[in-house]
Amino acid sequence: MSVGRYDDKIKVEAVKLREAGLSYPEVMEKLNIASRGAIRLWERKYKSGGVEELLKDERGLKTTGRPRKIKE
């Protein structure tokens, strides 16, 4: 099974297959996707903003760690 980042084509195809009525295991097997959670995430993104939202790359945009101290 594939692990890691999936191609945009795979993401769109997975969402279309789910809309066509295929189950998560069927989509996972057909497209060689390792995680049901990934498909769920793609579906949520697609429903909230369409293909544009689904294909948006958000890696590295979130803040991590402790906020900086403000010097007065």
Side-chain angles (χ1 to χ4, degrees), residues 21-35:
L22 270 69
S23 68
Y24 288 109
E26 290 170 330
V27 174
M28 290 168 63
E29 183 177 332
K30 185 174 181 95
L31 299 177
N32 198 25
I33 297 171
S35 171

Side-chain angles (χ1 to χ4, degrees), residues 23-70:
S23 68
Y24 288 109
E26 290 170 330
V27 174
M28 290 168 63
E29 183 177 332
K30 185 174 181 95
L31 299 177
N32 198 25
I33 297 171
S35 171
R36 175 182 302 206
I39 300 170
R40 286 186 187 137
L41 174 65
W42 301 337
E43 286 179 304
R44 279 196 308 269
K45 285 183 169 188
Y46 181 77
K47 288 177 183 176
S48 73
V51 175
E52 185 177 307
E53 182 68 24
L54 172 64
L55 301 181
K56 189 182 340 176
D57 188 4
E58 298 177 336
R59 294 179 298 156
L61 298 178
K62 296 177 183 170
T63 60
T64 59
R66 180 198 233 158
R68 290 183 177 179
K69 292 183 180 179
I70 300 174

